[in-house]
């Protein structure tokens, strides 16, 4: 049996990016994926944008630290983002400016005139916004493939249809068994299992951290008129919708966060209908058809910050989980930071300004 330095559970963007970084740091790495192919769940169902303020001020450093890597490798296409509000939302828009004004994010307060130049057929009720010009679309599939390719070139062994069913540790070695009776051995077990993170932790004898999967719904609409392809991502400052153009269609979400068990998430018709109702209160467009609908699980720790690093109680067990909806946009810096922590390496230019204590699993002890 081949012995690995690190066995990672989950080959979505989290596992793929961390596997590449660990292997390039000299480790022998095994990447275990339960499904037929990597990225079937959250990674493959992303709304695909890089937005500086997404996730809160504590996440901005990770997002900004990842930006140059994503841009330099061609994974970002500039779009811009608008957080919009009505007269009664002016206080929330001002609070947003105050909350993110000193984080390094580029934001600007706009009035109705600034909105009209950026959104066609906007209804009169919407009178103010925060403009974030750096927001960009992410080539999620390309980024995920990039990390899988880097991992493969660095010697990572990827095993698909390898659903972990049991783990045990003896004399410093993890024995990992899968449902199909395959077995593996590693010195370190890394939990990159997304919605299944607490399940994997409990298998390993670690304390579940309360990482909760939340269902997020997206629908692809055909509208009349079709959305301007250069229109920004539009988000409600109150958190009840967002939408953006995509290949001549509109991607719309009601920004839902429905608690869910770990599963192959599916959208509900009522949720899609609610999203369309909210859209029609924002723009004077006719929805001609719902062409696609899907749902994914975004998994959050209780404080809604990611969990990176070694478990404080179980030696040889580490976390790379709880990344919510921002795991893709922060993946370059997050994976680099986690690999440095796990391998005991010095920080580099990408990670030097990051506060690892914010994301340490020991904060829940």
């Amino acid at each position: 049996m081949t012995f690995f330095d690190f066995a990672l559970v989950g080959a979505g963007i989290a596992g793929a990016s961390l596997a590449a970084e660990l292997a390039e740091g000299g480790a022998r790495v095994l990447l275990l994926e339960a499904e037929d192919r990597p990225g079937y769940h959250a990674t493959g169902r992303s709304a695909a944008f890089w937005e500086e303020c997404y996730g809160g001020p504590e996440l901005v450093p990770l997002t900004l630290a990842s930006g140059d890597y994503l841009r330099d490798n061609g994974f970002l296409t500039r779009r811009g983002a608008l957080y919009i509000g009505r007269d009664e939302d002016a206080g929330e828009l001002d609070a947003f400016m105050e909350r993110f004004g000193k984080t390094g994010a580029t934001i600007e307060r706009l009035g109705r005139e600034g909105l009209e130049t950026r959104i066609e057929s906007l209804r009169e009720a919407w009178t103010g916004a925060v403009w974030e010009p750096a927001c960009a679309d992410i080539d999620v599939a390309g980024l995920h493939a990039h990390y899988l390719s880097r991992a493969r070139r660095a010697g990572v062994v990827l095993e698909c249809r390898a659903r972990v069913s049991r783990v045990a540790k003896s004399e410093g070695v993890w024995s990992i068994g899968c449902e199909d009776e395959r077995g593996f051995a590693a010195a370190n077990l890394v939990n990159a299992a997304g919605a299944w993170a607490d399940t994997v932790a409990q298998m390993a004898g670690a304390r579940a951290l309360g990482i909760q999967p939340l269902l997020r719904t997206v629908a692809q609409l055909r509208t009349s008129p079709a959305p301007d392809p250069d229109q920004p991502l539009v988000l409600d400052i109150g958190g009840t919708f967002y939408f953006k153009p995509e290949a001549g269609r509109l991607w719309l979400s009601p920004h839902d966060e429905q608690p869910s068990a770990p599963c192959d998430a599916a959208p509900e018709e009522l949720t899609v209908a609610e999203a369309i109702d909210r859209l029609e209160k924002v723009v004077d467009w006719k929805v001609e058809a719902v062409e696609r609908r899907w749902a994914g699980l975004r998994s959050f720790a209780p404080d809604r910050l990611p969990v990176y690093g070694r478990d404080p109680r179980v030696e040889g067990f580490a976390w790379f989980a709880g990344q919510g909806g921002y795991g893709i946009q922060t993946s370059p810096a997050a994976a680099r930071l986690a690999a440095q922590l796990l391998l005991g390496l010095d920080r580099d230019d990408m990670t030097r300004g990051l506060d690892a204590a914010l994301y340490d699993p020991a904060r829940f002890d």
Side-chain angles (χ1 to χ4, degrees):
M1 180 183 295
T2 303
F3 179 80
F4 296 90
D5 297 312
F6 292 90
L8 279 64
V9 181
I13 193 67
S17 57
L18 181 56
E21 292 285 349
L22 288 169
E24 289 171 356
R28 294 165 295 176
V29 180
L30 171 68
L31 188 56
L32 297 171
E33 171 55 47
E35 305 296 346
D36 292 346
R37 57 179 173 81
Y40 175 75
H41 290 286
T43 299
R45 309 181 194 195
S46 168
F49 54 78
W50 182 89
E51 196 267 280
E52 290 178 315
C53 299
Y54 199 55
E58 297 85 358
L59 271 297
V60 173
L62 279 171
T63 299
L64 295 181
S66 298
D68 285 345
Y69 185 92
L70 294 170
R71 278 186 290 269
D72 292 347
N73 286 282
F75 298 118
L76 296 185
T77 302
R78 181 73 69 92
R79 176 168 298 283
L82 283 168
Y83 283 86
I84 67 172
R86 295 150 295 193
D87 285 345
E88 59 266 33
D89 303 317
E92 287 189 67
L93 292 167
D94 292 340
F96 188 99
M97 291 292 298
E98 179 69 23
R99 188 180 181 210
F100 289 96
K102 298 179 182 179
T103 62
T106 302
I107 52 177
E108 177 187 354
R109 186 75 155 83
L110 298 180
R112 173 71 191 191
E113 184 177 348
L115 277 173
E116 289 177 344
T117 64
R118 291 172 173 86
I119 310 174
E120 294 181 354
S121 305
L122 182 69
R123 296 195 184 276
E124 292 182 1
W126 301 89
T127 54
V130 173
W131 169 236
E132 185 194 306
C135 179
D137 294 340
I138 303 178
D139 177 2
V140 177
L143 179 63
H144 190 212
H146 166 81
Y147 274 117
L148 289 170
S149 178
R150 275 182 54 186
R152 183 175 61 254
R153 292 195 304 270
V156 172
V157 175
L158 170 64
E159 296 284 347
C160 293
R161 295 178 292 280
R163 188 176 299 277
V164 174
S165 58
R166 59 195 181 280
V167 297
K169 191 178 182 188
S170 176
E171 298 182 350
V173 176
W174 289 99
S175 297
I176 306 158
C178 299
E179 288 182 352
D180 63 1
E181 302 304 321
R182 278 180 288 174
F184 306 94
N188 295 277
L189 181 63
V190 182
N191 185 359
W196 287 263
D198 272 357
T199 301
V200 169
Q202 289 171 318
M203 281 188 200
R207 183 168 66 92
L209 298 184
I211 292 179
Q212 174 64 60
L214 301 177
L215 188 144
R216 170 63 50 84
T217 305
V218 182
Q220 178 175 296
L221 309 179
R222 186 175 77 245
T223 64
S224 179
D228 181 340
D230 296 324
Q231 180 184 288
L233 168 70
V234 179
L235 308 98
D236 172 27
I237 192 64
T240 66
F241 62 78
Y242 59 78
F243 57 88
K244 71 166 191 171
E246 183 70 25
R249 299 295 189 256
L250 191 76
W251 280 11
L252 169 68
S253 173
H255 213 277
D256 49 332
E257 292 192 342
Q258 179 65 35
S260 171
C263 66
D264 185 357
E268 296 184 359
E269 293 288 342
L270 179 59
T271 305
V272 173
E274 289 173 344
I276 293 172
D277 180 66
R278 293 171 189 176
L279 174 70
E280 290 174 340
K281 292 179 170 64
V282 180
V283 288
D284 185 17
W285 300 341
K286 180 182 178 182
V287 176
E288 296 184 331
V290 178
E291 296 184 332
R292 291 174 54 211
R293 55 179 70 82
W294 65 94
L297 297 179
R298 305 155 69 253
S299 301
F300 290 91
D303 60 3
R304 296 182 72 91
L305 296 181
V307 187
Y308 306 146
R310 294 189 179 276
D311 189 274
R313 302 186 184 193
V314 179
E315 187 175 355
F317 183 74
W319 296 79
F320 195 56
Q323 299 187 72
Y326 36 77
I328 295 167
Q329 71 172 39
T330 61
S331 56
R336 183 76 54 83
L337 174 65
Q340 290 165 348
L341 295 172
L342 295 177
L343 295 172
L345 301 177
D346 292 336
R347 302 288 189 89
D348 62 3
D349 289 344
M350 183 185 288
T351 63
R352 195 165 289 117
L354 301 176
D355 182 0
L358 286 173
Y359 320 122
D360 193 330
R363 71 187 189 269
F364 294 109
D365 260 27

